[in-house]
Amino acid sequence: MDFQLTDEQRALKDGTRELLAGRFGRDRLRAAVEDPGPDRALWRELGAAGFFALRLPEKDGGVGLGLPEAVLVLEEAGRALLPGPLVACQLLAGVVDGVATGEKTVGLCEGAREPVLWEHPAGCDELILVEGGEVEGDEEEGAQERTGGVYRSASDRVSCAPFASVDPLTPLARVLDLPRTEPVALDVPRLRREAALLTAAQQLGSAVRTVEMAAGHAREREQFGAPIGSFQAVKQLCAQMLVRAEMARSAVYAASVTESVLDITGAKLLADEAAVRNARDCLQVHGGMGFTWEADVHLHLKRAWLRAECWGAAGEAEELLAAGLIA
């Protein structure tokens, strides 16, 4: 089996990076810190480019691609720290009218967690609540998915309260009550798996970007008349960052092909670790300036912390993988 990207997949990845670089550069990123709601004009442009309709059949106006291609696109979004309910809109493009074209935005939250958190509440037109569908141990693969329910509600019918977010680019609200009067017929275990994998893809993109930031700074910053990248301690940090990112890349790309519960769980665990630890090491390479608000390193670290708790935290993933090993 060949896991190398095809020419078409490379073109998709490069095109997404070029689009985001042109429409969401550093100035826009910094502006989004002050106003983190989804940019509706950019959202419509992404919709026109097929960002959200990537996996919809061509007969339904989509692009007709698969999960591996969605992973590549979300990886680039994570690299750019693009704010907004990207995973939700990618997964629900065929469920809520207007999402595929970028005319509407939709939120997706886990009802089994406490507190139930909603990302970008002010920018979403609708909210989808997912209940159940978690994974338990079984004798065969060490994992058994339970069925659950999905409920849809207009945003103005959801009772919520503000909730402090560690990531300035991702405002949160705590869902207090959501009317469960409009169920949606979706495969809940699959929805949860794909949400975890696409979140892992975002983490991968951030991990790769912090490697680039650290290496770039190490080449340019000089101490004692030499670039700091020539010092063994800094070389070691950058090398470890690259290893983490490439391990996560292999796991995320493979899981997008196999779609196995355990593969996706492992990929999310590795991508979370790479995103968080790489951002920390990137901050270390930047030294004192890495701690400042003007540097972008802290934005990657805060996003990585937030994403690491979404759709399967480390403790849950480790327990599930351990059950798979002894099954």
Side-chain angles (χ1 to χ4, degrees), residues 1 3 5 67-68 71-72 75 193 196-205 207-208 242-274 321:
M1 185 177 292
F3 284 107
L5 299 183
L67 191 57
V71 160
L72 296 178
E75 178 188 346
R193 287 198 310 271
L197 183 60
L198 295 181
T199 302
Q202 290 181 297
Q203 293 281 63
L204 168 61
V208 171
L242 179 61
V243 169
R244 285 189 212 108
E246 291 306 316
M247 286 179 62
R249 187 196 302 278
S250 297
V252 170
Y253 285 8
S256 73
V257 175
T258 67
E259 299 187 38
S260 157
V261 175
L262 293 182
D263 287 349
I264 291 174
T265 301
K268 176 67 164 51
L269 184 64
L270 286 172
D272 287 341
E273 180 185 26
L321 291 170

Side-chain angles (χ1 to χ4, degrees), residues 300-317:
H300 281 275
L301 180 56
K302 291 169 182 175
R303 178 69 63 84
W305 277 335
L306 182 72
R307 290 281 172 261
E309 297 301 318
C310 298
W311 304 107
E316 300 166 6

Side-chain angles (χ1 to χ4, degrees), residues 9 76-77 86 89 116 141 153 181 186 247 266 289:
Q9 288 172 330
E76 291 302 318
L86 298 165
C89 289
V116 179
E141 196 187 14
S153 178
T181 55
L186 290 175
M247 286 179 62
M289 67 177 292

